[in-house]
Amino acid sequence: MSDSNLNRFQRVVAAVLGTKSDEVTDALTNDKVDTWDSLNHINIISALEQEFSIMLPTGSMASHQSVRGLKALLREHGVEV
């Protein structure tokens, strides 16, 4: 696990959701944050693609609406967080 990738991931998600980086934990899901709506979910995916220079398939986005799920999605695409 790369701590720098984890920090980058937390910083990106926190920036989109308007939270603190330390609040971006595996327990965080879209139903626990008022600002994590469908538009911001797309914004998170887009920001993660830019941060890690990867392309994520649009079809898999809906099934990854948690921090744990987003991390799994990144790992599926070669980014260890």
Side-chain angles (χ1 to χ4, degrees):
M1 176 183 328
S2 173
D3 184 49
S4 63
N5 278 351
L6 178 60
N7 287 338
R8 291 167 59 197
F9 171 83
Q10 288 175 313
R11 194 170 43 250
V12 166
V13 174
V16 172
L17 297 178
T19 64
K20 296 178 182 174
S21 291
D22 62 358
E23 295 175 356
V24 179
T25 66
D26 285 352
L28 189 63
T29 61
N30 66 331
D31 61 345
K32 293 182 179 175
V33 180
D34 290 340
T35 56
W36 194 339
D37 56 18
S38 58
L39 178 58
N40 270 343
H41 188 70
I42 292 170
N43 290 336
I44 290 169
I45 296 295
S46 177
L48 289 172
E49 286 178 329
Q50 288 183 331
E51 180 68 26
F52 294 105
S53 300
I54 57 174
M55 291 293 295
L56 300 171
T58 55
S60 64
M61 289 183 196
S63 61
H64 295 89
Q65 298 199 7
S66 67
V67 164
R68 187 181 309 268
L70 289 171
K71 286 179 171 180
L73 181 62
L74 289 178
R75 281 192 296 274
E76 291 171 10
H77 292 84
V79 178
E80 197 61 39
V81 289

